């Protein structure tokens, strides 16, 4: 490959990155990425008010501007992958800049939320957070706080009872039973994951429950905006994955910036500041800014760097498609077509941003993911997936049927299917969205245990600790 | 067990031979059947296959039953037909349309839809492909005792598909084929006084289209890409897709176990490369989760656009032949009732219909081609350059 020596933007820096067919030097590339994030942060008035340093003006008094600056809290969910670390780093740069240009004032402060699966996770995350704070954010320490939360809070701090949701294999109807005390106390995320048939559904449920936790945390701590780290690439594969999981109608609400989150009393907005930046660009940014030592379980790709990293771990063994999750298959697709059809990723995201929600008068909400249910998925599935059999025709067949009826196979079947007969009074019909119905239908025993949704669930304080 | 897997792996058959001998069934020795081998639906017959749709192990009779009933349900719940309606099956001799013709006849008799079914075939003029497949359709006509009508591109457009490909290049053949075939079916139907054409588009096609529209950002088509009935306002012809929820693999299995006579070669002009990547993606997804074809269709049915901010006035239909001969078809913002093409009189939202615009390009090109035959400077490259100048 012929590489130009001099950066096209400043005409002096040495070229270190090739992105979107343009050669960049380190400085210009950093500016390029950071400008894209800042543009999103200023994309509309609500966000501007949160991030800007406000002063007395026509609409607010001096006291009000001070008050507003102090209450402009944003939440950054941090996974220690490249995107969320870069997002946080650019926010830190923004704070530093504001202090320099606004005589020590800043327009906002940051709470970072780290969710861990278990205690080991939390210990590792905490150490890394310590390093970040002391090595990179020392000068803005008073503006950045880290919080740690175990995903187990999802069940532990749900403030009420658990429901077990069951799907009938014959007619795809869904019902729920309130669980008794014992299961309420003991059921945990690991129990849930054990019921999953594959990595895809584990990932799906983990995404739903951690997003619920993060949003609940933002609601309880009065954050104005959640800043999600998603790159353009991640948004593209999330979009396709939602389509593939039958959750197409949920894309619009995931990406909505026009309104505050209606599921949490409209108390915050969801923002994707890196939505215009490719993952490969974020990864390149990590190396240029020396953020790569702050990743956990993630190695940034060096595809856009002129000087490759020579990290042996970068060349990971190709995984067989069979073991990939749906999200990973979508990601692999974008990786594969990026070279030949370079704008597919941005086209998908642009298209996703144009989507709205179907208009359904008073839609019910899904008992699991809380999405609006626009059409009854059980009726739909019943029509197109028939489970009625061809009748018994011969005496031979009748004999075989009797043989089956007496075997243990028939017991299994009855346990799984005839919900209506086995749990007559306690079970009540419950609403599921198509995607969740498909998920539960594939779980062991076609059931899933989930916290009931209620005011008390939302208000029960999450047991997070602060650094 | 060995028998089941052997049967399963031999799904694709080559029925291209002109004479047709149905495959024979293996002999079932019933006495040895174990309970674990029984069909998961009836529990009284040996399971013979795993349904591609949900991996259920089922016997042949239950497979027929669920496959047929699902199509019946689709027809009824979408009110596809009304009593006394004349329905043309777009018959290509391929598996989808062969199974469609067979099943519609069967369901029409079983459930008394009261419809009249006609096979309608288009002869595109692709040597070696259409010859054999038309022969298959002609056999189907006899086998199913259904009337057959054949309309040729030559009759309709004065061009055969082979001539079009020679002129416009292989890569763009699907665009031309698509526009011409669509009109040809409608025109053929109109000629026969039939207002309803059913096509063999299956669930895989539907899901692929949903993904393609998102990958291409084809916002205009996004909302309607999964519609089971399509009809332009004012057009006399209604089109529908009874196989909307039927898996391609199940259609093949059905044709196989029913020993239907179909022509197995696909259109010899392969899909363009980008569609190929989507097809590959679908294959990987289906391997991971068989239900995803239906899941994608469900998503497609619920994709709607945000209400537009009243800024831009949408341009009326724009059609452009690009430098490589590819054609991009804009969308009419609104179909104007009763408009017809100035040239051919066929219903069109514009002054001149898509087919006529393409034909005009081809005609100009044919003139160029004959002029250029004596100059030996790179025929194909020259042709491409000529096409570059074609704009409408
Ligand atoms: Zn530069
Ligand atoms: Zn749901
Ligand atoms: Zn059966
Ligand atoms: Zn015309």
């Amino acid at each position: 490959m012929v590489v130009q020596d001099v950066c096209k933007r400043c005409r002096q820096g040495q070229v270190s990155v090739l992105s979107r067919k343009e050669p960049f030097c380190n400085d210009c590339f950093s500016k390029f990425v950071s400008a894209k994030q800042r543009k999103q942060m200023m994309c509309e008035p609500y966000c501007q008010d949160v991030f800007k340093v406000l002063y007395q003006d026509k609409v607010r008094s001096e006291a009000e501007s001070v008050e507003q600056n102090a209450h402009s809290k944003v939440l950054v969910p941090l996974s220690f992958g490249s995107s969320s670390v870069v997002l946080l780093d650019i926010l830190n740069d923004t704070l530093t800049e504001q202090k320099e240009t606004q005589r020590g004032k800043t327009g906002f402060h940051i709470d970072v939320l780290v969710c861990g699966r278990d205690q080991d996770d939390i210990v590792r995350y905490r150490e890394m957070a310590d390093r970040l704070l002391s090595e990179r954010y020392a000068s803005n320490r008073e503006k950045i706080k880290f919080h740690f939360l175990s995903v187990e809070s999802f069940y532990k701090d749900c403030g009420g009872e658990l429901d077990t949701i069951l799907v009938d294999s014959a007619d795809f109807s869904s019902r729920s039973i309130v669980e008794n005390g014992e299961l309420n106390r003991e059921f945990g995320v690991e129990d849930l994951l054990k019921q999953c048939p594959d990595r895809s559904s584990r990932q799906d449920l983990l995404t739903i429950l951690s997003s619920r936790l993060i949003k609940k945390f933002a609601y309880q701590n009065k954050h104005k905006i959640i800043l999600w780290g998603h790159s353009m690439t991640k948004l593209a594969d999330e979009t396709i994955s939602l389509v593939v999981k039958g959750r197409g109608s949920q894309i619009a609400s995931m990406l909505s910036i026009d309104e505050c989150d209606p599921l949490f009393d409209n108390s915050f907005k969801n923002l994707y500041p890196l939505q215009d930046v490719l993952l490969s660009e974020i990864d390149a940014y990590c190396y240029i800014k020396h953020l790569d030592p702050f990743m956990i379980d993630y190695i940034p790709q060096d595809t856009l760097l002129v000087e490759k990293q020579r990290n042996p771990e970068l060349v990971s063994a190709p995984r067989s498609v069979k073991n990939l999750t749906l999200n990973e298959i979508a990601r692999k697709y974008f990786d594969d077509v990026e070279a030949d059809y370079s704008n597919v990723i941005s086209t998908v995201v642009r298209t996703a941003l144009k989507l709205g929600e179907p208009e359904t008068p008073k839609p019910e909400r899904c008992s699991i993911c809380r999405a609006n249910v626009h059409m009854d998925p059980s009726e739909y599935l019943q029509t197109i997936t028939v489970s009625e059999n061809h009748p018994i025709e011969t005496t031979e067949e009748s004999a075989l049927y009797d043989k089956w009826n007496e075997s243990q196979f028939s017991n299994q079947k009855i346990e799984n299917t005839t919900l209506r007969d086995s749990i007559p009074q306690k079970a009540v019909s419950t609403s599921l969205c198509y995607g969740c119905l498909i998920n539960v239908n594939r779980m062991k025993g076609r059931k899933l245990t989930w916290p009931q949704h209620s005011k008390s669930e939302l208000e029960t304080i999450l047991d997070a600790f602060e650094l | 067990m060995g028998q089941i897997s052997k049967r399963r792996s031999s799904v694709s058959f080559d029925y291209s031979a002109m004479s047709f001998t149905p495959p024979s069934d293996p002999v079932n020795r019933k006495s040895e059947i174990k309970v674990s081998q029984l069909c998961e639906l009836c529990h009284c017959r040996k399971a013979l296959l795993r349904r591609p749709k949900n991996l259920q192990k089922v016997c042949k009779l239950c497979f027929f039953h669920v496959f047929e009933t699902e199509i019946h349900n689709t027809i009824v719940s979408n009110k596809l037909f009304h009593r006394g309606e004349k329905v043309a099956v777009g018959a290509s001799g391929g598996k989808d349309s062969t199974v469609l013709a067979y099943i519609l006849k069967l369901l029409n008799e079983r459930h008394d839809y009261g419809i009249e079914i006609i096979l309608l075939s288009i002869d595109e003029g692709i040597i070696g492909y259409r010859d054999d497949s038309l022969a298959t359709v002609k056999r189907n006509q006899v086998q199913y005792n259904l009337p057959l009508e054949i309309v040729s591109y030559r009759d309709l457009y004065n061009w055969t598909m082979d001539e079009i490909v020679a002129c416009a290049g292989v890569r763009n053949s699907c665009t031309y084929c698509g526009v011409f075939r669509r009109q040809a079916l409608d025109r053929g139907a109109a000629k026969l006084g039939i207002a309803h054409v059913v096509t063999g588009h299956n669930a895989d096609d539907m899901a692929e289209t949903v993904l393609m529209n998102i990958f291409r950002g084809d916002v205009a088509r996004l909302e309607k890409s999964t519609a089971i009935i399509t009809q332009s306002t004012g057009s006399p012809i209604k089109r529908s897709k009874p196989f909307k929820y039927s898996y391609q693999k199940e259609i093949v299995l059905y044709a196989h176990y029913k020993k239907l006579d179909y022509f197995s070669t696909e259109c010899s002009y392969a899909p363009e490369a980008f569609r190929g990547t989507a097809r590959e993606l679908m294959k990987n997804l289906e391997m991971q989760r068989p239900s995803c074809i239906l899941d994608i269709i469900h998503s497609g049915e619920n994709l709607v656009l945000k209400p537009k901010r009243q800024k831009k006035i949408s341009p009326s239909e724009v059609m452009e032949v690009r430098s490589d001969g590819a054609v991009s078809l804009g969308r009419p913002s609104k179909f104007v009732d009763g408009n017809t093409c100035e040239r051919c009189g066929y219903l069109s939202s514009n002054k001149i219909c898509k087919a006529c615009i393409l034909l005009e390009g081809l005609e100009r090109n044919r003139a160029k081609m004959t002029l250029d035959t004596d100059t030996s400077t790179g025929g194909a490259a020259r042709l491409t350059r000529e096409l570059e100048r074609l704009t409408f």
Side-chain angles (χ1 to χ4, degrees):
Chain A
M1 199 192 316
V2 185
V3 176
Q4 271 179 279
D5 298 340
V6 181
C7 168
K8 225 169 124 188
R9 299 213 164 178
C10 63
R11 300 187 186 283
Q12 48 187 19
Q14 201 199 337
V15 171
S16 57
V17 181
L18 282 171
S19 179
R20 311 188 193 194
K21 299 187 180 122
E22 196 186 332
F24 289 92
C25 71
N26 277 355
D27 276 358
C28 290
F29 186 71
S30 308
K31 274 184 211 151
F32 168 76
V33 172
S34 139
K36 288 202 174 294
Q37 167 162 333
R38 289 172 199 221
K39 187 182 149 217
Q40 281 305 319
M41 284 160 54
M42 293 293 163
C43 67
E44 45 94 65
Y46 178 93
C47 298
Q48 287 167 10
D49 277 0
V50 171
F51 289 111
K52 269 193 197 158
V53 183
L54 299 174
Y55 291 99
Q56 177 181 2
D57 58 17
K58 273 176 264 169
V59 288
R60 51 181 80 80
S61 68
E62 167 75 28
E64 279 168 344
S65 71
V66 170
E67 164 105 4
Q68 247 181 302
N69 287 334
H71 284 105
S72 286
K73 287 203 300 179
V74 299
L75 184 66
V76 176
L78 189 72
S79 66
F80 292 100
S82 60
S83 301
S84 53
V85 170
V86 165
L87 173 84
L88 184 59
D89 214 65
I90 293 173
L91 282 171
N92 177 60
D93 290 346
T94 312
L95 286 173
T96 305
E97 225 171 81
Q98 286 188 339
K99 280 185 177 176
E100 280 166 7
T101 57
Q102 317 278 329
R103 279 165 289 145
K105 284 188 179 176
T106 66
F108 65 103
H109 38 154
I110 305 166
D111 283 311
V112 179
L113 182 61
V114 182
C115 285
R117 286 272 294 274
D118 53 35
Q119 214 41 49
D120 290 355
D121 272 358
I122 305 261
V123 170
R124 286 197 302 155
Y125 293 158
R126 214 195 134 142
E127 265 171 34
M128 194 60 95
D130 266 329
R131 278 186 59 195
L132 270 174
L133 278 172
S134 60
E135 291 173 34
R136 294 194 74 105
Y137 308 144
S139 62
N140 292 321
R141 220 143 167 178
E142 81 287 2
K143 301 285 180 193
I144 305 177
K145 280 197 199 102
F146 276 77
H147 306 263
F148 299 85
L149 187 62
S150 159
V151 291
E152 290 301 338
S153 290
F154 183 71
Y155 287 106
K156 254 182 34 229
D157 306 327
C158 73
E161 281 166 308
L162 302 181
D163 274 343
T164 288
I165 296 163
L166 305 101
V167 165
D168 190 310
S169 71
D171 64 5
F172 301 99
S173 63
S174 46
R175 291 172 170 71
S176 70
I177 320 168
V178 182
E179 277 307 333
N180 57 28
E182 197 177 327
L183 193 73
N184 267 337
R185 277 191 305 278
E186 299 194 343
F187 196 85
V189 173
E190 292 308 316
D191 299 307
L192 173 78
L193 298 181
K194 262 184 236 151
Q195 296 177 334
C196 292
D198 55 26
R199 290 181 59 234
S200 267
S201 55
R202 277 198 285 277
Q203 196 182 50
D204 201 35
L205 288 172
L206 271 177
T207 306
I208 292 170
L209 71 82
S210 35
S211 139
R212 174 91 196 155
L213 278 176
I214 291 162
K215 291 181 174 183
K216 194 163 140 181
F217 187 85
Y219 168 81
Q220 293 178 350
N221 293 279
K222 305 198 162 43
H223 291 102
K224 296 274 169 48
I225 301 177
I226 302 181
L227 295 149
W228 300 92
H230 300 47
S231 63
M232 193 200 296
T233 315
K234 166 84 184 172
L235 286 173
D237 68 49
E238 189 62 24
T239 298
I240 293 303
S241 304
L242 286 172
V243 169
V244 167
K245 293 170 192 164
R247 297 183 185 275
S249 60
Q250 297 166 24
I251 296 170
S253 60
M254 172 182 86
L255 294 173
S256 169
I257 182 63
D258 302 332
E259 50 184 43
C260 288
D261 202 312
L263 283 174
F264 295 85
D265 250 0
N266 304 309
S267 65
F268 57 81
K269 280 200 174 188
N270 295 293
L271 191 64
Y272 301 89
L274 290 170
Q275 72 178 40
D276 294 329
V277 188
L278 293 163
L279 181 62
S280 51
E281 293 170 332
I282 290 171
D283 284 6
Y285 185 93
C286 280
Y287 285 116
I288 285 172
K289 289 289 205 167
H290 309 293
L291 285 165
D292 51 306
F294 301 99
M295 316 268 119
I296 296 179
D297 300 330
Y298 185 85
I299 303 158
Q301 294 292 310
D302 58 4
T303 35
L304 303 185
L305 297 184
V306 173
E307 195 102 349
K308 300 295 175 205
Q309 291 296 304
R310 300 189 198 292
N311 182 345
E313 288 178 84
L314 266 177
V315 194
S316 54
R319 252 175 148 152
S320 112
V321 176
K322 190 85 194 155
N323 294 324
L324 297 179
T325 65
L326 297 174
N327 280 74
E328 287 163 349
I329 291 173
R331 171 67 58 84
K332 185 179 175 304
Y333 172 80
F334 289 118
D335 285 347
D336 292 348
V337 298
E338 205 179 334
D340 289 332
Y341 309 95
S342 55
N343 49 10
V344 176
I345 294 174
S346 61
T347 305
V348 169
V349 175
R350 241 187 307 117
T351 310
L353 287 166
K354 289 179 191 159
L355 295 174
E357 262 210 74
E359 275 178 37
T360 311
K362 291 208 165 199
E364 297 213 40
R365 290 220 176 250
C366 171
S367 311
I368 294 172
C369 73
R370 306 295 289 145
N372 285 324
V373 180
H374 296 287
M375 60 154 100
D376 179 4
S378 59
E379 203 177 297
Y380 177 86
L381 281 169
Q382 232 185 106
T383 311
I384 59 179
T385 312
V386 168
S387 54
E388 194 186 69
N389 62 287
H390 184 96
I392 301 173
E393 282 177 343
T394 64
T395 47
E396 230 162 337
E397 288 173 0
S398 164
L400 278 167
Y401 181 83
D402 291 341
K403 201 165 132 193
W404 171 82
N405 212 6
E406 287 152 19
S407 72
Q408 91 268 19
F409 290 96
S410 66
N411 294 332
Q412 259 175 32
K413 167 147 175 139
I414 285 160
E415 215 174 280
N416 286 345
T417 54
T418 46
L419 270 176
R420 267 163 302 193
D421 307 332
S422 55
I423 37 164
Q425 330 89 340
K426 287 189 296 174
V428 292
S429 142
T430 192
S431 230
L432 291 184
C433 73
Y434 181 90
C436 287
L437 179 60
I438 292 290
N439 247 352
V440 181
N441 193 43
R442 301 173 73 250
M443 302 283 282
K444 249 181 223 149
R446 291 196 165 86
K447 61 182 180 188
L448 179 152
T449 304
W450 205 254
Q452 275 176 14
H453 288 278
S454 60
K455 193 75 182 157
S456 91
E457 188 268 335
L458 196 55
E459 304 292 346
T460 302
I461 299 298
L462 291 168
D463 183 20
F465 72 87
E466 189 183 308
L467 190 66
Chain B
M1 202 48 219
Q3 209 175 30
I4 291 180
S5 53
K6 224 191 257 164
R7 293 287 282 177
R8 245 196 293 149
S9 60
S10 56
V11 160
S12 52
F13 280 88
D14 187 12
Y15 288 158
S16 53
M18 291 305 284
S19 67
F20 174 67
T21 328
S24 59
D25 251 359
V27 183
N28 248 346
R29 278 156 297 160
K30 291 205 169 76
S31 53
E32 292 168 24
I33 299 172
K34 293 195 192 106
V35 175
S36 61
Q37 295 175 314
L38 290 172
C39 166
E40 289 178 25
L41 290 175
C42 66
H43 314 292
C44 72
R45 285 173 290 261
K46 190 173 169 178
L48 201 57
L49 68 147
R50 248 182 209 285
R51 273 200 85 177
K53 207 172 194 172
N54 56 13
L55 303 184
Q56 229 164 22
K57 283 194 289 181
V58 292
C59 69
K60 201 164 78 172
L61 289 175
C62 284
F63 173 64
F64 292 158
H65 180 78
V66 294
F67 183 80
E68 290 157 4
T69 309
E70 284 163 14
I71 293 160
H72 170 65
N73 287 348
T74 303
I75 289 169
V76 171
S77 65
N78 292 286
K79 302 189 179 68
L80 292 194
F81 305 131
H82 59 80
R83 186 164 290 282
E85 195 174 14
K86 271 189 179 180
V87 177
V89 178
S92 67
K95 59 183 178 325
D96 291 340
S97 63
T98 302
V99 175
L100 183 60
Y102 174 86
I103 275 221
L104 280 189
K105 184 179 160 77
L106 177 100
L107 294 177
N108 189 32
E109 283 162 11
R110 181 184 295 166
H111 299 285
D112 189 27
Y113 297 153
I115 57 172
E116 191 182 323
I117 303 164
I118 295 102
L119 298 174
L120 174 58
S121 231
I122 302 303
D123 182 0
E124 293 96 338
I126 304 172
I127 303 277
Y129 168 62
R130 267 310 179 226
D131 294 350
D132 293 351
S133 61
L134 279 175
T136 314
V137 178
K138 285 173 188 159
R139 285 200 304 279
N140 290 161
Q141 173 191 12
V142 178
Q143 286 154 355
Y144 309 151
N145 188 26
L146 292 170
L148 167 67
E149 200 71 28
I150 301 174
V151 184
S152 79
Y153 273 24
R154 168 74 69 201
D155 297 341
L156 288 171
Y157 308 115
N158 198 26
W159 283 78
T160 69
M161 201 53 211
D162 281 340
E163 286 165 1
I164 291 168
V165 170
C167 190
V170 173
R171 273 195 303 160
N172 308 308
S173 54
C174 272
T175 310
Y176 286 90
C177 203
V179 170
F180 288 160
R181 187 183 302 195
R182 187 179 174 90
Q183 273 210 8
L185 275 177
D186 284 7
R187 288 174 184 214
K191 201 176 97 186
L192 303 172
I194 299 172
H196 190 168
V197 175
V198 291
T199 55
H201 289 91
N202 58 44
D204 300 52
D205 299 330
M206 282 278 176
E208 186 182 296
T209 303
V210 172
L211 292 182
M212 282 299 288
N213 286 338
I214 299 173
F215 289 148
R216 285 189 170 143
D218 194 340
V219 182
R221 275 159 221 234
L222 211 57
E223 287 182 324
K224 284 177 198 140
S225 59
T226 52
I228 190 165
I229 300 172
T230 47
Q231 181 167 29
S232 318
T233 326
S235 163
I237 309 292
K238 174 171 96 177
R239 288 168 158 263
S240 68
K241 307 177 176 97
F243 281 170
K244 178 181 175 184
Y245 300 109
S246 306
Y247 276 41
Q248 179 153 348
K249 284 180 183 158
E250 300 204 349
I251 295 170
V252 175
L253 282 168
Y254 188 84
H256 168 55
Y257 285 116
K258 283 281 183 180
K259 297 165 186 147
L260 300 183
D261 177 11
Y262 66 86
F263 182 68
S264 68
T265 309
E266 288 304 318
C267 174
S268 45
Y269 300 121
E272 40 110 7
F274 186 54
R275 188 171 279 275
T277 67
R279 212 160 274 184
E280 178 70 20
L281 170 66
M282 288 271 307
K283 219 175 73 192
N284 291 337
L285 292 168
E286 193 189 352
M287 202 192 325
Q288 178 59 236
R289 183 180 291 191
S291 74
C292 80
I293 291 178
L294 292 180
D295 302 346
I296 292 170
I297 295 173
H298 184 272
S299 284
E301 289 173 353
N302 286 283
L303 291 181
V304 294
L305 297 171
K306 258 186 228 173
K308 266 214 186 103
R309 282 178 219 138
Q310 296 289 323
K311 245 195 320 199
K312 282 169 264 167
I313 304 140
S314 55
S316 59
E317 186 164 9
V318 186
M319 171 135 145
E320 187 188 10
V321 179
R322 286 197 300 267
S323 56
D324 53 357
V327 181
S328 55
L329 302 173
R331 279 249 123 179
S333 48
K334 202 180 157 201
F335 193 93
V336 188
D337 252 43
N339 263 13
T340 52
C341 172
E342 282 182 358
R343 302 239 167 106
C344 66
Y346 186 76
L347 275 152
S348 164
S349 51
N350 279 37
K351 273 189 179 171
I352 298 169
C353 76
K354 284 174 192 169
C356 284
I357 291 172
L358 287 175
L359 283 170
E360 186 183 286
L362 286 168
E363 289 298 344
R364 261 198 256 173
N365 219 41
R366 175 140 68 186
K368 283 278 181 229
M369 269 173 87
T370 34
L371 280 176
D372 285 351
T373 35
D374 48 349
T375 49
S376 52
T377 38
R382 174 125 203 170
L383 187 58
T384 316
R385 258 178 285 123
E386 292 306 332
L387 274 166
E388 275 169 31
R389 293 190 206 121
L390 296 177
T391 40
F392 305 97

